[in-house]
Amino acid sequence: MFKPERLEKWRRIRKLTQEELATKINMTKAAVSNYENGHSSPSGDTLAALADVLDIDTDYLLDRTDTPRHLNQLKYEGNSDETFFERKELIEMINKASSEDLADLKIIVKRFVKEK
């Protein structure tokens, strides 16, 4: 069964408004609001689009699992969902860096971690 509170939670974690999410899945803001309020449930295609945009799996949105797929794979124990996405964002930025920039970043991170 579709869990509307999970949709809202992950939309907020991803820092999306209802309107932004609606645009990404080619729906209206009202449709997203109805999903989040439990007034309606998304179709299979829409559910898949929501999961793709939020970077979670449909089983989580359907209450078949308590932990989203990506969190199972990447989350460090003791971190909140928000911390997970902050780390993921850093990893995405690092992946875009040049080889030279990576060497500099490594030095900076080592110094920063030592100071803590």
Side-chain angles (χ1 to χ4, degrees):
M1 174 178 241
F2 176 70
K3 292 294 211 177
E5 63 276 6
R6 290 182 175 187
L7 173 61
E8 180 180 7
K9 173 185 176 180
W10 282 89
R11 175 184 57 78
R12 290 180 186 278
I13 287 171
R14 300 298 281 162
K15 296 181 170 73
L16 294 170
T17 64
Q18 287 181 340
E19 189 167 347
E20 290 168 332
L21 179 57
T23 299
K24 289 179 181 285
I25 62 167
N26 297 317
M27 300 291 286
T28 64
K29 178 183 181 263
V32 172
S33 178
N34 283 334
Y35 300 151
E36 289 185 0
N37 291 323
H39 297 302
S40 62
S41 294
S43 68
D45 288 343
T46 301
L47 185 70
L50 288 165
D52 287 344
V53 169
L54 298 174
D55 199 23
I56 56 177
D57 55 317
T58 56
D59 281 350
Y60 178 76
L61 290 173
L62 293 172
D63 199 28
R64 293 180 181 166
T65 181
D66 288 330
T67 307
R69 171 189 65 235
H70 293 295
L71 290 185
N72 278 332
Q73 294 171 354
L74 301 172
K75 186 175 178 183
Y76 294 97
E77 206 160 306
N79 289 336
S80 68
D81 295 336
E82 289 80 7
T83 301
F84 165 78
F85 279 107
E86 288 173 7
R87 288 174 187 235
K88 185 176 181 219
E89 183 180 13
L90 283 172
I91 290 168
E92 289 169 354
M93 286 190 279
I94 289 168
N95 286 338
K96 294 177 183 175
S98 69
S99 296
E100 292 173 354
D101 290 341
L102 284 175
D104 292 340
L105 283 169
K106 188 173 181 180
I107 292 167
I108 292 167
V109 170
K110 281 184 178 181
R111 287 182 184 160
F112 180 77
V113 171
K114 285 181 184 178
E115 292 176 8
K116 292 256 173 184

